[in-house]
Amino acid sequence: METLLAAIIDKRPKSRVTIKPDQHVFRGERVPLRCDIDADGVSSWKYNWYKGETEGSGVSQHSDEVTLTVSEKAQTVLSVSPQTWLTEGDPVTLNCAVTGSSTGWTFSWFTVSSSVNTYKRVRYEPLSDSRRGAGGKHTVSSADLKHTGVYVCAAERGNPAYETLYSNKQPLWVTGVSPPVSLIIRPNRTQHFTLVSLSLSCEDQSNSDRWTVRRYTESWGPEDCSSFYGGSQTGSTCTISSTSTLDTGVYWCQSESGEEYHPVNITVHFGVILESPVHPVTEGETLTLRCLYDYVSPPILSADFYKDGSLVQNQTTEMIIPTVSKSHEGFYNCKHTARGESPKSWISVRGSRSESQISVLKILTSVLAACPYLLVTVVLIYKCCRMRSKTPE
């Protein structure tokens, strides 16, 4: 009897539950639950819904259990690949993802406005091509100076739309191959001690005063030199009277029309710092790194030097690379056994100018060499055409 009853029950149609857009949803999000029954000969069903239990009345079999997870407000995370520091022409991809969920999202992209009002309120400006669909990627095949900025992303799904919070702020800095202005830093290094004076000057060939020194810090966002604590600008020179760790950030020169040039990452640190060049190093040149400490005289320490976290030279007062190549590009820092470790600095390597000049010279030489042959060919074609026109029919 029990076997017959089980066979009858097994022949009953089975219901199926689906949840859209995902089994992981967020507080405040609209969640449609759908129950379907695949059965022939029956046009209408009465549906009963159960939460956390399997008993109830009905003719069909119960569906399999489906877990619905509800979290607090959805959070997006923004990252960059391959790196945040680029040279003009490099490819870059911004990756946006919703923590713990990947289904049904449409992503939008924004930049942090470079104009901040008196109350330091940050505004987000949507990119002209901000809507990127479900892929969560914004790719630039060839970076331009205009792509320098601070980016955030957000996502939405459903109808009515459920919107996530804005993501973390992700800076992206593009260095020009030959920018019209240079940011000159005194002392001439990217890492600096606390409680010292720091000078930053925007210098171009005409020595004009049309440049403003600006910066972006995690604490204050984008701001002019005159807004820095202890900062003042005279002409195109910005002076910070007494540095603090809050001055750590990216500094650049901005034109009167709002164009941004020559971003430099500056770190202010209490303790050991790395002395490294401000500007990109050209292939073939010599690179010298030193480990400095403000409370010894002279301030140069014998230390270990690291590239991308790996030890490359130990117990030396300076690390020298006599002939730099592109493979030497990376993050460098130094470490002293007693005094501590410096922050990391990115050292960029650009192509040799001489090689570029040789390439251009080769092209010009080839064109000039071909000119006589091209000229003779044109003359012959012209004469041939004239002779044909004079030949009687």
Side-chain angles (χ1 to χ4, degrees):
M1 184 68 179
E2 292 180 0
T3 304
L4 178 61
L5 180 61
I8 295 173
I9 292 174
D10 288 342
K11 289 183 178 180
R12 291 183 301 166
K14 187 172 183 178
S15 55
R16 183 178 68 258
V17 175
T18 55
I19 302 175
K20 293 185 177 180
D22 195 4
Q23 289 179 225
H24 183 188
V25 296
F26 300 90
R27 187 184 296 274
E29 190 172 8
R30 184 172 177 266
V31 186
L33 302 175
R34 182 181 176 88
C35 185
D36 292 296
I37 298 176
D38 298 324
D40 296 329
V42 181
S43 59
S44 62
W45 288 87
K46 178 182 178 182
Y47 294 90
N48 295 313
W49 292 90
Y50 306 95
K51 178 185 177 184
E53 59 183 73
T54 58
E55 296 299 325
S57 62
V59 178
S60 72
Q61 297 183 63
H62 286 92
S63 69
D64 294 332
E65 292 183 356
V66 177
T67 302
L68 179 65
T69 303
V70 181
S71 300
E72 293 298 328
K73 189 71 175 179
Q75 179 65 56
T76 48
V77 177
L78 181 59
S79 60
V80 170
S81 60
Q83 60 198 25
T84 57
W85 284 90
L86 305 166
T87 303
E88 277 183 295
D90 289 345
V92 65
T93 299
L94 298 174
N95 303 291
C96 190
V98 179
T99 303
S101 178
S102 59
T103 305
W105 297 101
T106 297
F107 296 88
S108 298
W109 308 84
F110 307 84
T111 55
V112 178
S113 174
S114 60
S115 57
V116 180
N117 61 24
T118 308
Y119 300 101
K120 300 288 184 183
R121 291 177 180 170
V122 175
R123 292 187 295 109
Y124 299 130
E125 303 288 347
L127 301 186
S128 57
D129 55 348
S130 62
R131 191 58 61 87
R132 288 283 167 170
K137 294 181 182 294
H138 179 91
T139 299
V140 177
S141 58
S142 180
D144 191 271
L145 291 175
K146 67 181 180 182
H147 294 118
T148 288
V150 181
Y151 293 79
V152 298
C153 68
E156 64 179 47
R157 72 179 178 186
N159 186 19
Y162 171 84
E163 299 177 349
T164 68
L165 300 171
Y166 286 110
S167 70
N168 54 298
K169 298 182 182 69
Q170 179 61 67
L172 187 64
W173 310 108
V174 183
T175 303
V177 177
S178 55
V181 63
S182 293
L183 181 60
I184 307 301
I185 301 173
R186 300 179 180 88
N188 185 28
R189 55 177 182 257
T190 58
Q191 295 186 16
H192 299 270
F193 298 116
T194 57
L195 304 177
V196 297
S197 176
L198 181 61
S199 172
L200 307 101
S201 300
C202 295
E203 299 183 5
D204 59 16
Q205 293 182 348
S206 61
N207 295 320
S208 67
D209 291 338
R210 64 190 184 95
W211 302 99
T212 300
V213 176
R214 305 200 78 218
R215 76 178 181 185
Y216 174 84
T217 63
E218 288 293 330
S219 300
W220 299 108
E223 58 181 349
D224 293 333
C225 175
S226 56
S227 300
F228 302 174
Y229 180 79
S232 61
Q233 178 147 344
T234 303
S236 290
T237 298
C238 172
T239 303
I240 301 175
S241 59
S242 181
T243 56
S244 75
T245 55
L246 295 177
D247 293 314
T248 294
V250 177
Y251 293 69
W252 67 89
C253 298
Q254 186 157 313
S255 68
E256 294 171 339
S257 58
E259 296 171 311
E260 301 171 346
Y261 294 100
H262 209 156
V264 175
N265 190 36
I266 292 178
T267 303
V268 179
H269 185 62
F270 180 81
V272 175
I273 65 171
L274 180 72
E275 184 180 66
S276 61
V278 171
H279 308 298
V281 184
T282 302
E283 286 184 314
E285 292 183 347
T286 299
L287 172 64
T288 302
L289 303 176
R290 296 184 182 89
C291 204
L292 306 181
Y293 187 65
D294 201 23
Y295 299 99
V296 295
S297 183
I300 302 174
L301 297 175
S302 180
D304 298 334
F305 289 84
Y306 295 82
K307 175 182 181 289
D308 298 327
S310 298
L311 179 66
V312 290
Q313 198 165 324
N314 62 342
Q315 292 303 303
T316 180
T317 55
E318 58 183 19
M319 175 181 165
I320 300 176
I321 302 175
T323 306
V324 171
S325 66
K326 194 68 175 177
S327 64
H328 292 115
E329 196 169 69
F331 285 98
Y332 288 80
N333 70 309
C334 64
K335 184 176 183 180
H336 186 268
T337 53
R339 308 297 184 183
E341 187 174 0
S342 76
K344 296 178 181 179
S345 279
W346 172 260
I347 294 180
S348 179
V349 179
R350 61 189 172 193
S352 171
R353 293 195 187 108
S354 58
E355 289 181 3
S356 302
Q357 292 169 353
I358 290 171
S359 299
V360 173
L361 184 60
K362 283 182 178 178
I363 294 171
L364 290 174
T365 302
S366 300
V367 171
L368 291 174
C371 279
Y373 299 99
L374 292 173
L375 182 60
V376 170
T377 303
V378 171
V379 171
L380 288 174
I381 293 172
Y382 174 73
K383 286 186 175 183
C384 184
C385 291
R386 288 198 62 186
M387 288 177 66
R388 285 185 178 180
S389 62
K390 289 181 180 181
T391 302
E393 298 180 359

